[in-house]
Amino acid sequence: MATRTTKFKAAAAHAAPVFMNKAATIRKTVDLIEQAGAEDIKLLVFPETFIPGYPYWAECYAPLKQVTALTKYAEESVVVEPNGEDIGAIQDACRRTGVAINLGISERVANGHTLFNSQVVIDNDGTILGVHRKLQPTYVERYIWAQGNGSSLRNWPLSLGYNLGGLACWEHTMNGARQALLMQNQHIHAGAWPALSTMAGFEQVADAQIEALMKTHALTAQVFVITASNYVDDTCLNWMEENMGPQDLVKAGGGWSSIIAPFCNYIAEPHTGGEEKLVKGDIDFAQLGAVKVWIDAAGHYQRPEILQFGFDARPHWADEKLDRFSARPEQSKAKEEPKEQL
């Protein structure tokens, strides 16, 4: 664990991607990281599948009308390889600005077609720390993304000195998933969401659901929760209409982004709607001691002789069984070559 920075500025990126356009959204991601760096933000959390956007069309059209869209979505999904074609520019932006990120992506396995709803964690020196793959895609998401597993149900140590872990959307209803992060000494939680309140049937309940789940994890885990949601903009609505036909089940706007302290008070009040904003506030770990006096779910507030918990952390997918974030052979060779003596 690195030397801890007791107080620092963090933010949720309440933003919309350039829908179904990986290259353009990568550029926008870099711009947002640079904006965060200019505002002295040290940790930036992005919405669920920010690149290339949440596939709202899956909720709106019959499955047989989605084959072309699914094919395109796979092409626009992100392959996570160190300094690779998709992620290299983002790593460089983190390195240049000193901003660590939790970035929601639709992840595509290298040299394959399988997709995951993922969150990639990149430290402030540009190092890819790891990827969490959503354990259970929700409802129609199941024919887009494969299931993650316990090998990515973990926290990653940031150079700031704290453990960061995250979950996506209704994965937060899986109490065991939240408990797994809690028991691994989580300090900061990244909650990634789409714009649920714009979807038919969710207009009156979505924001209340997100708020309830995010506050629940903040209090029960005694962690700082950064919640980032996208909003639906015209690039999304126009893409769906132009490529799949008219629909009236998803509207413009939505999203719910905030920062919540371990006692459930807001560090950054909820921000909703179509205004792009870095929802920011100060994470101050000096406040945590007083909370832990009352309740410490990873410590003295346990009853392990009564309540026992475990989960399967074994990797299942082939690429998870490899050290896929290690340096490429040519990078290792470059490091080994002796420098010319002056």
Side-chain angles (χ1 to χ4, degrees), residues 12-17 45-48 50 56 191-196 207 210 226-232 254-258 271-273 275 277 279:
H14 186 92
V45 173
F46 285 84
E48 181 175 359
F50 187 68
Y56 293 99
W193 294 82
L196 290 182
D207 290 354
I210 298 172
I226 305 171
T227 306
S229 305
N230 69 52
Y231 60 88
V232 175
W256 192 96
S257 303
S258 72
H271 178 70
T272 64
E275 177 193 356
K277 181 179 181 181
V279 180

Side-chain angles (χ1 to χ4, degrees), residues 256-320:
W256 192 96
S257 303
S258 72
I259 305 177
I260 305 171
F263 251 12
C264 283
N265 54 298
Y266 283 113
I267 295 171
E269 294 283 340
H271 178 70
T272 64
E275 177 193 356
E276 189 160 296
K277 181 179 181 181
L278 296 186
V279 180
K280 60 187 178 182
D282 289 330
I283 302 288
D284 186 358
F285 277 89
Q287 301 173 358
L288 191 58
V291 177
K292 293 292 189 178
V293 166
W294 291 93
I295 180 171
D296 184 1
H300 63 74
Y301 212 74
Q302 295 184 68
R303 289 296 304 274
E305 78 282 15
I306 301 171
L307 302 172
Q308 298 174 13
F309 177 80
F311 69 101
D312 186 352
R314 291 175 297 177
H316 291 188
W317 299 96
D319 64 342
E320 295 170 335

Side-chain angles (χ1 to χ4, degrees), residues 36 64 80 83 92 117 158 162 164 172 183 210 219 230 245 247 249 277 319:
L64 288 177
V80 182
N83 302 302
D92 182 62
N117 182 328
L158 299 173
Y162 301 96
L164 172 69
H172 289 94
M183 295 301 293
I210 298 172
L219 181 59
N230 69 52
Q247 62 83 30
L249 299 175
K277 181 179 181 181
D319 64 342

Side-chain angles (χ1 to χ4, degrees), residues 23-182:
T25 307
I26 287 172
R27 290 193 294 271
K28 182 167 185 176
T29 301
V30 169
D31 289 343
L32 289 169
I33 294 169
E34 290 176 342
Q35 179 184 344
E39 297 181 20
D40 198 32
I41 292 166
K42 301 301 182 185
L43 175 60
L44 181 61
V45 173
F46 285 84
E48 181 175 359
T49 59
F50 187 68
I51 307 174
Y54 183 82
Y56 293 99
W57 36 264
E59 315 285 347
C60 303
Y61 304 91
L64 288 177
K65 291 186 176 181
Q66 296 184 34
V67 175
T68 300
L70 283 164
T71 302
K72 176 67 172 174
Y73 198 68
E75 293 172 356
E76 298 298 321
S77 292
V78 176
V79 176
V80 182
E81 295 176 313
N83 302 302
E85 180 180 351
D86 288 350
I87 212 78
I90 297 171
Q91 288 181 261
D92 182 62
C94 293
R95 189 180 303 115
R96 285 186 288 102
T97 61
V99 176
I101 65 170
N102 182 287
L103 176 63
I105 59 170
S106 175
E107 180 193 5
R108 180 176 179 175
V109 299
N111 303 310
H113 299 274
T114 300
L115 306 182
F116 295 92
N117 182 328
S118 297
Q119 292 167 276
V120 55
V121 180
I122 302 177
D123 209 352
N124 60 12
D125 64 355
T127 301
I128 298 174
L129 297 179
V131 172
H132 169 64
R133 291 170 166 173
K134 187 175 181 180
L135 295 179
Q136 179 70 328
T138 305
Y139 192 45
V140 294
E141 292 178 359
R142 292 175 196 169
Y143 59 76
I144 300 172
W145 294 304
Q147 293 173 315
N149 57 71
S151 68
S152 75
L153 187 58
R154 53 168 296 187
N155 306 304
W156 283 272
L158 299 173
S159 295
L160 290 164
Y162 301 96
N163 295 330
L164 172 69
L167 298 172
C169 196
W170 278 13
E171 193 176 24
H172 289 94
T173 67
M174 303 176 75
N175 291 333
R178 296 191 302 100
Q179 185 72 12
L181 296 178
L182 181 165

